[in-house]
């Protein structure tokens, strides 16, 4: 049904015959086409969501959770197809596609299906009521094409909102598997709608639509600014999860082997196309040379190739444009290439970039300040803990980060001083129920868990 849109509980033909080609970045072949929806499709989807809102908002929380439970069951049955589809349209290696691209959204959906947050509370003589914000436009990126969708959609539906989804036009195919599951799960018509298309056409129409009460967007900081401006004209709520340039701080007493191995893996995850990637590794000057050598050796073990080959550890970047963007950064970098770089061998076919480690990087330089969104790690020395914090915070972004130390209290002290939305200490496990979001130009609002659900609610005080 990839030639259709999903509006008001039905697969419908788009208003235009225009389509968007979907490419396999590992082979550079076109694998499918999806509709290039237009403003009239947006109008129809928003109208369907508006018509469904009162009924869905009035549905008992237990019934909404039951609907999410049915959706989880239907989506789980498609997990193999999800992994394969993401492997095809994104180029994610199969291991990553299975565990993260398919597995993580199911974990998030399970949390919202099981969660029963309080819808009201008493504060003095006030009854504080948490109500759904209304019709939500969810605009999602290409790098985690199902996870970012489910993160928004599951929370919004659990809160009692109705949703119009615009997935990235670069990786839209996995959303069709989601909506197959939505249809099978029997969600009420209009509760969740799909309009594919470009950002300037469909995304802009959603952001500015007078019947959209909230826009939840994940993507670039530049696009986030445009969406915030469009929503501001009608004082609509926005939640923005934007770029990052996260620092991985390796203190002198850290387990250097673990810190470098995990740090390199985090920087190269999803071919470096991860907003939370620890793309700046900050290492104490006494251990800097050793860390660079270890990181270069680790990078050399990342085999590039066919995402469906179990031996592949690093797939392509998503497009020719993204590959050229990454290569342009490398061409301008004033740093020592410790591994990879522009001259490293890559497969002849596909949008591949060699896993690259840059040493002796100036903290103020472009590669230390800009989000490259490719498999590029910059390693920077520091003198002491204060210097490490200064360098880590010297960024317009503040999404994620890490600290490594044998002394957990020392690591915690550094983590508290980092101006960023999340920090992992000594490689701690990602918590999909913890609040996720950024400081500074990394965004507004939080996703995941109870904090993510709260973004899709209004709060009313009733005095009695």
């Amino acid at each position: 049904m990839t030639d259709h849109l999903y509006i008001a509980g039905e697969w419908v033909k788009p208003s235009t015959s225009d389509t968007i080609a979907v490419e396999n970045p590992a082979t550079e072949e076109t694998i499918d086409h999806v509709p290039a929806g237009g403003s009239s499709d947006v109008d129809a989807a928003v109208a369907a969501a508006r018509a469904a809102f009162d009924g869905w908002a009035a549905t008992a929380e237990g019934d909404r959770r039951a609907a999410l439970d049915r959706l989880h069951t239907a989506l789980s049955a498609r997990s193999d197809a999800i992994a394969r589809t993401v492997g095809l349209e994104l180029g994610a290696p199969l291991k990553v596609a299975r565990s993260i691209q398919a597995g993580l959204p199911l974990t998030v959906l399970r949390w919202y299906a099981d969660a029963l947050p309080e819808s009201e509370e008493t504060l003095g003589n006030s009854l504080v009521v948490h109500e759904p914000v209304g019709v939500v436009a969810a605009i999602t990126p290409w790098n985690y094409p199902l996870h970012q969708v489910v993160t928004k959609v599951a929370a919004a539906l659990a809160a009692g909102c109705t949703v119009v989804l615009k997935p990235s036009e670069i990786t839209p195919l996995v959303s069709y598997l989601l909506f197959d599951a939505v249809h099978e799960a029997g969600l009420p018509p209009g509760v969740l709608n799909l309009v594919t298309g470009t950002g300037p056409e469909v995304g802009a129409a959603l952001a500015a639509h007078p019947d959209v009460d909230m826009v939840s967007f994940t993507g670039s900081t530049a696009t986030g600014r445009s969406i915030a401006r469009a929503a501001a004209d009608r004082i609509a709520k926005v939640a923005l999860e934007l770029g990052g340039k996260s620092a991985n701080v390796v203190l002198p007493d850290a387990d250097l082997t673990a810190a470098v191995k995990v740090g390199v893996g985090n920087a190269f995850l999803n071919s470096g196309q991860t907003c939370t990637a620890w793309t700046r590794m900050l290492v104490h000057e006494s251990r800097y040379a050793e860390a660079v050598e270890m990181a270069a050796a680790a990078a050399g073990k990342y085999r590039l190739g066919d995402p469906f080959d179990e031996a592949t550890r690093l797939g392509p970047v998503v497009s020719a444009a993204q590959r050229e963007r990454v290569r342009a950064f490398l061409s301008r970098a004033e740093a020592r290439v410790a591994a990879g770089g522009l001259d490293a061998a890559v497969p002849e076919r596909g949008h591949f970039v060699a896993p690259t480690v840059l040493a002796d990087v100036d903290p103020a330089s472009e590669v230390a300040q800009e989000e490259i969104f490719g498999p590029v790690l910059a390693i920077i020395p520091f003198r002491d803990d204060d210097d490490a914090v200064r360098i880590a915070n010297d960024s317009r972004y503040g999404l994620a980060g890490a600290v490594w130390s044998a002394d957990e209290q020392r690591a915690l002290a550094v983590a508290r001083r980092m101006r960023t939305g999340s920090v992992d200490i000594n490689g701690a496990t990602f918590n999909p129920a913890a609040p996720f979001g950024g400081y500074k130009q990394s965004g507004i609002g939080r996703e995941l868990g109870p904090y993510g659900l709260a973004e899709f609610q209004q709060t009313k005080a009733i005095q009695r």
Side-chain angles (χ1 to χ4, degrees):
M1 299 298 289
T2 54
D3 59 343
H4 285 61
L5 308 175
Y6 192 83
I7 298 174
E10 300 289 344
W11 291 105
V12 300
K13 285 287 188 180
S15 63
T16 171
S17 61
D18 294 340
T19 63
I20 300 170
V22 182
E23 183 190 43
N24 179 338
T27 65
E28 304 182 45
E29 296 173 338
T30 297
I31 54 176
D32 207 339
H33 292 79
V34 297
S39 58
S40 61
D41 299 308
V42 170
D43 289 343
V46 172
R50 176 60 63 194
F53 173 68
D54 287 344
W56 183 248
T59 301
E61 287 183 352
D63 291 338
R64 293 203 297 267
R65 300 315 186 277
L68 290 178
D69 185 69
R70 295 194 304 273
L71 178 57
H72 183 273
T73 299
L75 197 60
S76 296
R78 293 162 170 80
S79 59
D80 288 344
I82 290 167
R84 178 172 175 78
T85 299
V86 175
L88 285 171
E89 64 181 345
L90 178 64
L94 203 53
K95 182 179 179 181
V96 173
R98 287 174 182 148
S99 62
I100 298 177
Q101 298 284 3
L104 185 55
L106 288 170
T107 299
V108 172
L109 182 55
R110 179 76 270 156
W111 191 93
Y112 282 111
D114 290 342
L116 288 171
E118 294 293 331
S119 61
E120 56 185 52
E121 57 188 305
T122 299
L123 187 63
N125 69 317
S126 299
L127 177 66
V128 180
V129 181
H130 305 286
E131 299 178 336
V133 71
V135 173
V136 173
I139 304 174
T140 58
W142 48 260
N143 58 331
Y144 290 90
L146 184 61
H147 169 63
Q148 295 288 359
V149 168
V150 169
T151 293
K152 299 177 188 305
V153 165
L157 296 183
C161 299
T162 55
V163 182
V164 178
L165 169 68
K166 190 213 92 69
S168 169
E169 62 270 30
I170 299 175
T171 55
L173 300 181
V174 73
S175 290
Y176 281 86
L177 293 174
L178 170 64
F179 277 81
D180 283 340
V182 166
H183 199 72
E184 180 180 313
L187 267 66
V191 166
L192 183 56
N193 307 273
L194 170 68
V195 181
T196 55
T198 66
E201 183 72 23
V202 173
L206 281 170
H209 203 286
D211 274 340
V212 168
D213 299 297
M214 175 180 174
V215 183
S216 180
F217 169 78
T218 297
S220 72
T221 298
T223 304
R225 289 192 192 99
S226 297
I227 286 173
R229 290 189 193 103
D233 284 343
R234 64 185 189 284
I235 320 297
K237 184 175 182 179
V238 295
L240 305 174
E241 196 268 284
L242 308 175
K245 193 67 181 178
S246 301
N248 178 20
V249 179
V250 184
L251 297 176
D253 62 344
D255 179 340
L256 192 64
T257 300
V260 171
K261 179 181 178 180
V262 175
V264 169
N266 182 286
F268 293 165
L269 177 64
N270 209 38
S271 297
Q273 300 168 131
T274 302
C275 56
T276 57
W278 305 339
T279 51
R280 295 181 295 155
M281 182 181 288
L282 280 52
V283 184
H284 189 266
E285 57 191 12
S286 67
R287 310 191 73 182
Y288 182 77
E290 184 182 3
V292 170
E293 183 178 347
M294 293 171 66
K301 297 177 181 178
Y302 278 77
R303 176 180 169 181
L304 293 162
D306 178 4
F308 292 93
D309 183 342
E310 293 283 359
T312 295
R313 293 190 66 188
L314 201 68
V317 294
V318 75
S319 66
Q322 187 62 24
R323 178 190 61 201
E324 293 313 306
R325 170 184 163 83
V326 176
R327 289 179 60 84
F329 275 110
L330 293 178
S331 71
R332 297 190 298 268
E334 297 180 354
R336 174 165 58 94
V337 178
L342 293 174
D343 297 329
V346 298
E348 291 185 6
R349 193 178 188 187
H351 307 311
F352 288 93
V353 176
T356 298
V357 175
L358 300 178
D360 307 337
V361 175
D362 182 341
S365 67
E366 182 183 54
V367 292
Q369 291 290 324
E370 298 297 329
E371 185 176 43
I372 297 173
F373 234 56
V376 180
L377 172 64
I379 308 185
I380 302 169
F382 66 85
R383 296 185 304 275
D384 53 29
D385 292 11
D386 289 343
D387 193 38
V389 170
R390 179 189 63 79
I391 296 170
N393 288 339
D394 181 22
S395 172
R396 69 176 182 274
Y397 298 114
L399 188 57
V403 185
W404 297 77
S405 173
D407 182 345
E408 184 172 311
Q409 291 305 309
R410 181 181 184 184
L412 184 61
V414 170
R416 288 183 183 277
R417 295 171 64 192
M418 293 171 69
R419 299 288 297 167
T420 185
S422 66
V423 184
D424 298 343
I425 291 178
N426 292 333
T429 304
F430 176 72
N431 180 2
F436 178 82
Y439 288 21
K440 298 184 279 187
Q441 292 187 32
S442 285
I444 300 169
R446 292 296 180 267
E447 294 186 327
L448 298 176
Y451 292 88
L453 187 142
E455 289 291 333
F456 297 97
Q457 294 177 318
Q458 296 277 30
T459 304
K460 176 187 291 180
I462 303 172
Q463 282 62 246
R464 55 188 179 175

